Amino acid sequence: MSVFPHLVAELGRLLEPALAESATAAAIVLFTVLVRLALYPLSRAAFRGATPVAGMLPLLLQLPVFFLMYRAFTSGGELLGHRLFAAPLGARWSDALGDGGPFGAQGLVFLGLFGAIAAVATWSAVRGRRAAAVAAAAAATAAAASAPAGPVGRAGAKAKAKAGTKGGTNAGAKGAAKGAAKGAAKAGTKPGAKSGVKAEVAGAGGVVALSAEQQEVMRKLGGVLPLLSFATLITAAVLPLAAGLYMLTTTAWSVVERIWLQHRKERAEEKERAEREVDRAVDREVDGGVRSSL
């Protein structure tokens, strides 16, 4: 027996005093959670990279485990006779239909599995559509912001540039005083003290402007890709019950994991925005003090 089915069997023995015949089914769920915990660093890196290829890596690494589990519940062995309530873990939906129909003892177990998978798929599809809509809106905003300035905008920019050159000595003195005061405020030292001031350069935003065609492709993909979650429902109807449990658990984990990672990303962005607001408030206070001193 392979190491993965052996681990499931051992987990089932540990859970058997509490769950009786359904212990192996609970062991499959627990085993799937352990696999996803081991893949969490890759999932986090894929989320940060936000590329389809990186996002497929955790799924590809699960395929060998899934195939071993599939063989364990189809080719015989000690796991084949275990059950989830009235349904054997090696049974398929067709077997349940032949043994009492969809509302028989086995059929009700499969209907419960299908209902759980459909709920997770619906949840994933709704969140996927919302994320696609947000991404499309951000791309449209970036495209509008990167549009070339018109004649009026260019004239205004030239006027500002000319006005900025007339300050001469006064502007230079004000800039020097403002820089010294800001450096002292950030470094926590007196204006005359010698201290190294670290310069921070805010780069341009990382949002890439997309063309109208690319935005249309993103909109269409955003409408179709979330529906692929329902393919799990079709697969669970063909594979053994044990494989359906694995797929339900890993799909639900993926949805919850993405929500968690998105929550952490939003919290980090809020923290950065708060820090920028504090920096701007300090800049305004320093600028006011410099102007009053001049």
Side-chain angles (χ1 to χ4, degrees):
M1 180 181 292
S2 176
V3 61
F4 298 116
H6 179 69
L7 179 58
V8 171
E10 292 299 325
L11 291 174
R13 292 190 185 96
L14 292 175
L15 299 173
E16 189 173 2
L19 300 175
E21 290 185 351
S22 300
T24 303
I28 293 174
V29 174
L30 180 58
F31 172 76
T32 309
V33 170
L34 294 176
V35 172
R36 294 309 306 265
L37 280 174
L39 295 176
Y40 175 73
L42 292 176
S43 300
R44 183 176 58 185
F47 180 82
R48 291 177 177 177
T51 59
V53 176
M56 291 178 61
L57 186 58
L59 176 63
L60 294 176
L61 291 178
Q62 288 185 80
L63 289 179
V65 180
F66 178 78
F67 287 139
L68 290 173
M69 294 290 297
Y70 175 81
R71 288 188 57 188
F73 286 95
T74 55
S75 60
E78 61 175 297
L79 297 178
L80 193 59
H82 291 260
R83 293 174 172 267
L84 174 61
F85 301 115
L89 292 175
R92 291 177 170 83
W93 173 237
S94 58
D95 300 328
L97 293 178
D99 186 11
F103 299 104
Q106 294 188 33
L108 290 176
V109 175
F110 276 92
L111 288 179
L113 174 67
F114 297 158
I117 292 176
V120 173
T122 302
W123 189 17
S124 176
V126 170
R127 290 191 60 86
R129 285 182 179 273
R130 289 178 181 175
V134 172
T141 303
S146 62
V152 177
R154 286 194 293 268
K158 289 181 179 179
K160 281 187 176 182
K162 290 181 179 179
T165 58
K166 293 181 178 180
T169 307
N170 291 335
K174 184 186 291 186
K178 182 179 178 180
K182 187 185 294 186
K186 290 187 175 181
T189 60
K190 295 181 179 180
K194 294 182 180 180
S195 60
V197 179
K198 182 179 180 180
E200 296 180 359
V201 180
V207 180
V208 179
L210 302 178
S211 64
E213 293 78 6
Q214 291 173 329
Q215 293 179 32
E216 181 65 18
V217 171
M218 285 185 61
R219 187 187 64 80
K220 291 181 179 180
L221 288 177
V224 174
L225 289 179
L227 299 179
L228 296 180
S229 303
F230 291 94
T232 307
L233 187 61
I234 301 174
T235 307
V238 178
L239 297 177
L241 178 59
L245 286 174
Y246 184 94
M247 295 182 68
L248 168 62
T249 307
T250 190
T251 304
W253 179 280
S254 297
V255 175
V256 175
E257 182 181 63
R258 190 162 190 86
I259 292 174
W260 167 248
L261 291 174
Q262 184 66 32
H263 173 69
R264 292 189 59 184
K265 179 182 178 182
E266 291 174 354
R267 286 189 60 183
E269 290 175 350
E270 290 177 0
K271 184 178 179 180
E272 290 179 0
R273 283 195 294 269
E275 291 177 352
R276 287 196 295 268
E277 288 295 331
V278 172
D279 289 340
R280 281 195 287 266
V282 171
D283 290 343
R284 287 193 295 268
E285 292 179 1
V286 172
D287 187 64
V290 171
R291 288 180 179 176
S292 62
S293 65
L294 294 176

